Amino acid sequence: RNRLESNSEHWNALLLSLRELIEWVIRKDTELTGLGPIGGDVACLQKQQDDHRAFRRQLEDKRPVIENNLLSGRQYIANEPPLSDTSDSEDSRGYRSAEEQARELTRSIRREVNKLSEKWNALIDRSDQWQRKLDDSLTKMRLFQKNLEDLSSRISAADAMKNSWQTPNDMTEVGEMLEQLRKFGERLGPIQRTVEDVNDQAALFTSNNVLVSHINLNRLEDLNTRWKFLQMAVDDRYKQLNNFGKEGSPPNQGFLSASVEPPWERAITANKVPYYINHELETTHWDHPKMIELMNSLSDLNEVRFSAYRTAMKLRTVQKRLCLDLLSLAAALESFDSHGLRAQNDKLIDVPDMVTVLTSLYELIAADNPNLVNVPLCLDLAINWLLNVYDSQRTGQIRVLSFKVGLVLLCKGHLEEKYRYLFRLIADPNRLVDQRKLGLLLHDCIQVPRQLGEVAAFGGSNIEPSVRSCFEKAGKDKTSIEAIHFLNWLQQEPQSMVWLPVLHRLSAAETAKHQAKCNICKEYPIVGFRYRCLKCFNFDMCQNCFFSGRKAKNHKLTHPMQEYCTATTSGEDVRDFTRALRNKFKSKRYFKKHPRVGYLPVQTVLEGDALESPAPSPQHSTLSQDMHSRLEMYASRLAEVELRTRSNSTPDSDDEHQLIAQYCQSLNGGDTVPVPRSPVQIMVAIDQEQREELEAMIRELEEENASLQAEYERLRAKQTPGSTPEESAHLPGGPRPPECELLAEAKLLRQHKGRLEARMQILEDHNRQLEAQLQRLRQLLDEVNVYKL
């Protein structure tokens, strides 16, 4: 008390100083906010750096005062007993004792010290973050402006070279000018990358809330415009040189007459569209005779049960017939650019120009594969396919975007690289895509399964639901998407595009050999796709059996399957075994509630049924329960007993059994199912059901064996005494006609006996599996009993 009275003025002055410092820190925080926003150009950022340095010096000048006041306040608080902090709302009227005044002063100093410390630390942290952001933005802005300068000089140099172009005087100059133009196109590659870099940098500034000055934005827009005009000039130059001296004649297509053989003849319409005349039948066709054969051969694949695989197999057949599986994605893109198709996606391309581009492509792959590629035939089929897909009315023109998409989808390349290129085709200079552009791309893609007669299974020809699905995956209220959103959506294999990744898996699986035997057709090794059941142990299927929907005795179509297009690793084998073991205890009802869908569904009410999945949805069965569903119930019951025993919980037994019975009754449509009440009853029930199931199978086999024995005795009775079919076969003159029939029937009986023995082996394997499951349940029971003891 004496100390307080002697120093009260000092501590009240400290409290007043703390409050003044808090107000000063708040003012400085507001001042720091006023320094923003960050951005502009290099000069503006340097000025913002100077302003912040001056601001930071003020903070450093004030730091000793603030730290001394905080130290004094903490020392005072440390010497006082702890008190609960209260607000300033206490009634200050009336007389208060010295002790009450001391407590109030302590509360106030503690509150102000905490407040000043918190706001001061927050201000310092914010200032540090501001400085780091300024430094980072200044570095990036310098690089951005340097790239703008570099890009401007490169485009100016390219414009100067463009202005030096001259019109050729004769055909001898055309070849030289085309070579010069090709080299000029190679120089445009680095310019294209610089254009993309500066646009990416500008987009990054915007995403980080860093302003870019109007001067820099206008300069960037001007450079984008100049680059676009330069690309258009290169495209026009290619057309000028390629069309020089043609005078409306179609010399480009003259060599394509060798693509057909008599009695067929290739002809072209006024708009340069090819058609084919059969002089023997006096008929004309839009389709090449080999294309007619190809499309007719695709009908053999209609037996494949799953639409995605059926479409992929048809498309793979077309791809290989057109030899586009030999064309790399990089070569296709280079050819597009060298023929002036860059940034021309909204324009139209006619048949002669398509022939020009495809000629260079097929000559390239023919040089590497001379025995596989017939250039006139493959080129004519490629033109035929593109016109069928994108110009069924034969107007003679398709969009450049459609031309590129049609070739990219069928060429050889990594799937993600194709996705990225397709996005670049429709992206704006800011690398963003709106709904209209995405709709154009998906429309061109969906025309491929439409041409194959499979469009209904992929959501129909209306692509609006797919566009909506993509934008919903990207986020709410988005008017444009970035490449990462597009890739993430496609990686989920949306319904309208699922056939494309299946095509790539089909291509990868063609040469794959799996060290496994098909449990249905006994093929070994399995070539192509391998399908492993995730419910049956050690059950594999080849792609032919899987696609045709063939069944096995114990394997059902409702079981989940794992697909492999390459040889499996030991890790995958262990993983699948674990999943199969886990699925053993899942009922059919579980798989009905959790069907495996091999694609991202698109909500639509269009034509066609839902797309089938590689793991087909469970079908309705006449059996209400199977062994696995009962084992699942028993295992769940054991797990509950074990869990509740370890937690020392003692729920009311009758209530527990009643709840389980009600749940089981609801699962079985209201029919009451007896529920085991103890582990002992579980073991008895499993033993009894397993025994009944095996006894029923044995009875069935015994009855079939008895009927076969009776048939065998009947056949023996027809024989002459002392003779057998085998003996009669060695008699002179050979067997008589009735004896030939007996020999055939005896052979059939022996084959049937072999099948019965094979079925017995399968039953024994199934019995071993059930015994293994039973042993696991016994172990759980033993653990529960040991814990009880």
Side-chain angles (χ1 to χ4, degrees), residues 433-466:
V433 168
D434 57 18
Q435 293 191 12
R436 186 185 72 86
K437 289 286 189 180
L438 180 60
L440 290 175
L441 174 62
L442 295 181
H443 175 269
D444 284 346
C445 291
I446 204 65
Q447 298 310 307
V448 174
R450 182 183 182 87
Q451 174 63 24
L452 298 174
E454 301 286 351
V455 70
F458 303 101
S461 56
N462 185 2
I463 46 79
E464 192 274 334
S466 297

Side-chain angles (χ1 to χ4, degrees), residues 47 73 81 254 270 276 302 309 328 332 337 380 402-403 410 419 423 451 480 511 513 574 582 589 598 602 663:
K47 183 179 184 304
Y276 305 91
N302 289 333
Y309 289 85
S328 67
D337 295 342
D380 222 9
S402 303
F403 177 71
L410 291 182
Y419 287 159
F423 184 84
Q451 174 63 24
S480 59
T511 58
K513 288 187 178 181
V574 173
R582 190 162 55 245
R589 189 176 299 275
V602 174
Y663 180 67

Side-chain angles (χ1 to χ4, degrees), residues 327-363:
L327 174 65
S328 67
L329 178 61
L333 303 190
E334 182 179 354
S335 180
F336 296 156
D337 295 342
S338 65
H339 286 85
L341 297 183
R342 189 198 300 265
Q344 307 293 316
N345 299 324
D346 293 331
K347 293 188 175 182
L348 297 176
I349 182 172
D350 54 20
V351 174
D353 289 337
M354 284 191 279
V355 170
T356 302
V357 177
L358 290 173
T359 301
S360 64
L361 289 176
Y362 277 110
E363 288 177 349

